[in-house]
Amino acid sequence: MADCIFCKIANKEIPSAAVYEDDMVLAFKDLEPQAPVHVLVIPKKHVESIKELDDSHKDVMGHIFCKVLPRVAKEQGIDEKGFRVVANTGDEGGQTVKHLHIHLLGGRSMQWPPG
Ligand code: AMP
Ligand code: ZN
């Protein structure tokens, strides 16, 4: 999608520090990390948020949760102690980039409730 920064990252028009990639998904380091490990996992095909998901997204979202997140967590060394997975959705959810992304955060103790 034109003017979407994460589409541009997925298309390599903007560089990123990728930690995992396949035909459906890219995972890359967040530019402003909020924890020692802070990775964003995106479907390469544009979808704005969880609100827009439908049956056509089952494969990619299942892939993200069943394969990519556990794999990246393990590779980043945060799987044993634990980690947090967040999908900010919409304005009150704190979503600033309107291309669905899953935050993977770890390497420190997390607080609850989040701000
Ligand atoms: P959210 O506020 O949930 O929409 O998260 C957007 C995230 O994208 C923030 O944590 C930003 O730091 C991150 N971000 C924005 N631009 C880039 C970029 N070019 N490369 C990596 N992370 C980015
Ligand atoms: Zn996009």
Side-chain angles (χ1 to χ4, degrees), residues 57-105:
H57 301 99
K58 278 182 178 172
D59 284 353
V60 68
M61 295 311 295
H63 182 56
I64 286 173
F65 278 89
C66 297
K67 180 176 172 188
V68 179
L69 285 164
R71 175 178 166 158
V72 174
K74 187 167 189 183
E75 288 174 353
Q76 295 292 317
I78 56 173
D79 59 323
E80 287 191 7
K81 285 192 170 174
F83 52 85
R84 182 167 289 174
V85 169
V86 175
N88 296 327
T89 304
D91 292 336
E92 285 203 4
Q95 184 178 9
T96 59
V97 177
K98 307 295 189 191
H99 178 133
L100 191 153
H101 50 283
I102 310 294
H103 296 259
L104 172 65
L105 298 134

Side-chain angles (χ1 to χ4, degrees), residues 1 4-8 44-47 98-100:
M1 189 183 153
C4 171
I5 188 169
F6 285 180
C7 282
K8 289 181 178 167
K44 287 186 171 177
K45 191 171 171 205
H46 184 89
V47 59
K98 307 295 189 191
H99 178 133
L100 191 153

Side-chain angles (χ1 to χ4, degrees), residues 3-41:
D3 294 331
C4 171
I5 188 169
F6 285 180
C7 282
K8 289 181 178 167
I9 286 175
N11 294 332
K12 311 288 163 60
E13 295 164 45
I14 293 177
S16 70
V19 297
Y20 175 85
E21 179 171 18
D22 61 32
D23 55 335
M24 289 193 281
V25 169
L26 180 68
F28 55 97
K29 292 187 179 177
D30 197 292
L31 261 190
E32 295 181 42
Q34 303 300 314
V37 173
H38 188 173
V39 171
L40 301 174
V41 181

